[in-house]
């Protein structure tokens, strides 16, 4: 289904028909799920496959007047100063072994813990985050540190579209057309010093805009890291678009990382700071759950998560559409050399 620029955020089937009291009640429920999910994660139940989540007795039961998730008919997109750059030319070398995921399916099944732990609710909650103006600081062990206005950066970079597989640590997978530029193009621009061995990425912490960031369960902002070798690999992208247009906020607007050979939690969204450092930096999930989420977090079918197998994956939205997980998510040829 195509995305459209529209004045209203989402065109929703059932909203008009929903009595306001029920709607407000559901909103409150969403808030409590966010808070409970956060507390649960810290106690050892962070990212997890959905079926496990459903069986988890520590999760709050739905109120009796709960209604099923709303389904948007189409995706609303921000008009940005760089809208004219999409669609970018597709690089045909990145082909897929599976169909592309439907755009609305991908945009309504998201992990974005700053807003909620409920994947099917993220899209409803993200509009409070102001994605323009937006700056990205690139700093640390570089000869040319810079603060970029995100649109200046996007305009400066060689945008291209690539079809990538995407594999979440929770076993769901998708295949989407990302638009962006190789991370190494940004690395060149800031000229790293010889002792820069790692890159640390930091997302936003804006409790005034994203009120769920006020709750104490997680310590924001979300942060991630790569070695310089990984960051310079051709597959590592900074992504600003999807399906031939800008990223909607739930996918990490205005700029996010995509490292398709790693579990999805490495692909940090809505980046504000990129810092070159000498030592391996901490990462959000590894610091919370070191025994469950490693720094490298490469997709490896023979290495189970301590609480579930990684041998198979399933394609959203159909849990029965299951297939074997591929080493490095099928990108062995491109990345195995990094870990030899
Ligand atoms: N980035 C931020 N800032 N916050 C998050 O909660 N979740 C990660 C990753 N990046 C996350 C994030 C996880 S667990 C996954 S699987 C992917 O985003 C999901 O990306 P998608 O919603 O675009 O599919």
């Amino acid at each position: 289904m195509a995305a459209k620029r529209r004045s209203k955020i989402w065109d929703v089937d059932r909203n008009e028909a929903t009595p306001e009291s029920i709607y407000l009640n559901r909103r409150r429920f969403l808030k409590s799920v966010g808070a409970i999910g956060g507390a649960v994660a810290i106690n050892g139940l962070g990212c997890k496959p959905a079926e496990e989540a459903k069986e988890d007795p520590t999760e709050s039961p739905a109120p009796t007047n709960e209604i099923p998730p709303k389904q948007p008919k189409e995706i609303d997109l921000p008009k940005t100063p760089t809208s004219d750059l999409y669609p970018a030319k597709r690089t045909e070398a990145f082909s897929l072994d599976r169909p592309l995921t439907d755009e609305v399916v991908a945009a309504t099944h998201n992990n974005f813990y700053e807003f909620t732990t409920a994947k099917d609710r993220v899209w409803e909650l993200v509009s409070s985050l102001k994605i323009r103006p937006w700056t990205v600081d690139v700093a640390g062990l570089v000869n040319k540190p810079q603060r970029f206005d995100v649109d200046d950066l996007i305009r400066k970079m060689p945008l291209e579209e690539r079809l990538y597989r995407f594999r979440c640590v929770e076993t769901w997978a998708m295949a989407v057309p990302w638009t962006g530029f190789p991370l190494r193009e940004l690395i060149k621009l800031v000229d790293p010093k010889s002792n820069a061995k790692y890159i640390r990425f930091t997302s936003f912490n804006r409790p005034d805009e994203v009120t769920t960031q006020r709750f104490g369960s997680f310590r924001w902002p979300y942060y991630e890291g790569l070695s310089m070798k990984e960051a310079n690999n051709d597959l590592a992208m900074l992504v600003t678009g999807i399906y031939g247009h800008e990223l909607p906020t739930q996918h990490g607007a205005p700029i996010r990382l995509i490292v398709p050979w790693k579990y999805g939690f490495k692909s940090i969204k809505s980046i504000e700071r990129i810092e070159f450092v000498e030592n391996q930096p901490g990462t959000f999930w590894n610091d919370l759950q070191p025994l469950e989420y490693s720094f490298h977090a490469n997709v490896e079918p023979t290495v189970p998560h301590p609480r579930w197998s990684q041998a198979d994956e399933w394609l959203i939205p159909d849990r029965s559409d299951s297939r074997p997980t591929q080493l490095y998510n099928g990108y062995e040829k491109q990345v195995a050399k990094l870990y030899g």
Side-chain angles (χ1 to χ4, degrees):
M1 199 176 296
K4 264 195 181 170
R5 282 177 219 292
R6 296 163 338 102
S7 53
K8 216 162 127 239
I9 296 226
W10 298 94
D11 182 11
V12 170
D13 273 334
R14 63 178 56 247
N15 239 2
E16 293 79 30
T18 307
E20 197 189 5
S21 58
I22 295 177
Y23 186 71
L24 293 177
N25 186 300
R26 193 164 66 78
R27 285 279 171 195
R28 276 198 290 280
F29 174 65
L30 289 182
K31 278 192 181 176
S32 72
V33 166
I36 292 165
V40 163
I42 284 167
N43 290 331
L45 295 163
C47 290
K48 61 192 163 185
E51 73 267 34
E52 189 187 336
K54 278 195 190 112
E55 286 160 14
D56 178 6
T58 63
E59 296 231 333
S60 155
T64 49
N65 59 357
E66 178 62 9
I67 58 170
K70 294 184 288 184
Q71 278 303 319
K73 286 190 191 136
E74 55 199 25
I75 293 158
D76 186 46
L77 297 171
K79 174 97 178 123
T80 73
T82 38
S83 296
D84 60 299
L85 299 178
Y86 304 88
K89 191 167 178 330
R90 180 174 294 178
T91 305
E92 298 295 343
F94 300 97
S95 57
L96 292 173
D97 57 350
R98 58 195 67 188
L100 274 183
T101 303
D102 176 86
E103 179 171 5
V104 173
V105 168
T108 51
H109 181 104
N110 303 99
N111 276 331
F112 210 159
Y113 276 67
E114 286 86 336
F115 297 93
T116 174
T117 57
K119 288 180 225 320
D120 57 352
R121 310 288 192 190
V122 171
W123 66 270
E124 291 180 84
L125 302 173
V126 291
S127 61
S128 62
L129 179 67
K130 292 192 181 71
I131 56 165
R132 292 295 190 290
W134 189 281
T135 55
V136 182
D137 278 319
V138 189
L141 301 173
V142 293
N143 292 313
K144 299 177 189 164
Q146 286 188 60
R147 167 172 289 189
F148 295 98
D149 168 79
V150 77
D151 292 299
D152 292 345
L153 178 64
I154 294 170
R155 214 166 268 290
K156 219 186 272 254
M157 289 292 151
L159 287 194
E160 61 179 300
E161 182 178 77
R162 295 183 181 183
L163 309 185
Y164 274 176
R165 289 178 290 275
F166 182 96
R167 170 61 152 83
C168 178
V169 72
E170 300 163 325
T171 72
W172 58 267
M174 62 180 183
V176 299
W178 300 112
T179 302
F181 54 89
L183 174 56
R184 61 157 187 267
E185 294 296 326
L186 177 68
I187 296 175
K188 276 193 241 160
L189 218 58
V190 294
D191 189 16
K193 296 183 176 169
S194 58
N195 56 343
K197 300 284 187 252
Y198 292 88
I199 305 185
R200 185 178 198 270
F201 302 84
T202 311
S203 191
F204 60 89
N205 184 17
R206 302 184 183 180
D208 288 345
E209 292 174 30
V210 181
T211 49
T212 34
Q213 287 195 309
R214 284 194 202 137
F215 303 135
S217 310
F218 288 109
R219 220 176 300 140
W220 304 111
Y222 196 99
Y223 50 100
E224 257 303 334
L226 293 176
S227 72
M228 282 291 278
K229 276 192 184 160
E230 291 173 324
N232 274 304
N233 185 275
D234 183 46
L235 291 177
M237 280 184 101
L238 283 173
V239 159
T240 60
I242 189 169
Y243 294 98
H245 50 67
E246 302 100 310
L247 284 177
T249 304
Q250 63 267 40
H251 280 302
I255 188 162
R256 74 175 295 176
L257 182 68
I258 286 292
V259 275
W261 71 99
K262 293 177 177 288
Y263 290 121
F265 66 86
K266 297 292 293 181
S267 290
I268 180 174
K269 297 175 170 180
S270 306
I271 298 167
E272 277 191 342
R273 187 172 169 82
I274 299 176
E275 196 179 351
F276 291 70
V277 296
E278 185 154 12
N279 300 312
Q280 182 175 302
T283 58
F284 185 83
W285 283 106
N286 182 242
D287 285 348
L288 278 173
Q289 301 280 2
L291 300 178
E292 303 203 349
Y293 308 105
S294 67
F295 174 82
H296 283 299
N298 293 321
V299 177
E300 290 184 75
T302 58
V303 180
H305 183 279
R307 289 180 282 123
W308 60 82
S309 164
Q310 294 291 16
D312 295 304
E313 64 191 25
W314 61 277
L315 301 185
I316 56 171
D318 184 1
R319 189 169 285 281
S320 67
D321 192 356
S322 168
R323 54 189 72 203
T325 304
Q326 302 175 57
L327 180 60
Y328 302 123
N329 201 22
Y331 297 105
E332 187 177 1
K333 221 168 77 194
Q334 292 95 325
V335 301
K337 56 184 178 261
L338 297 173
Y339 309 105

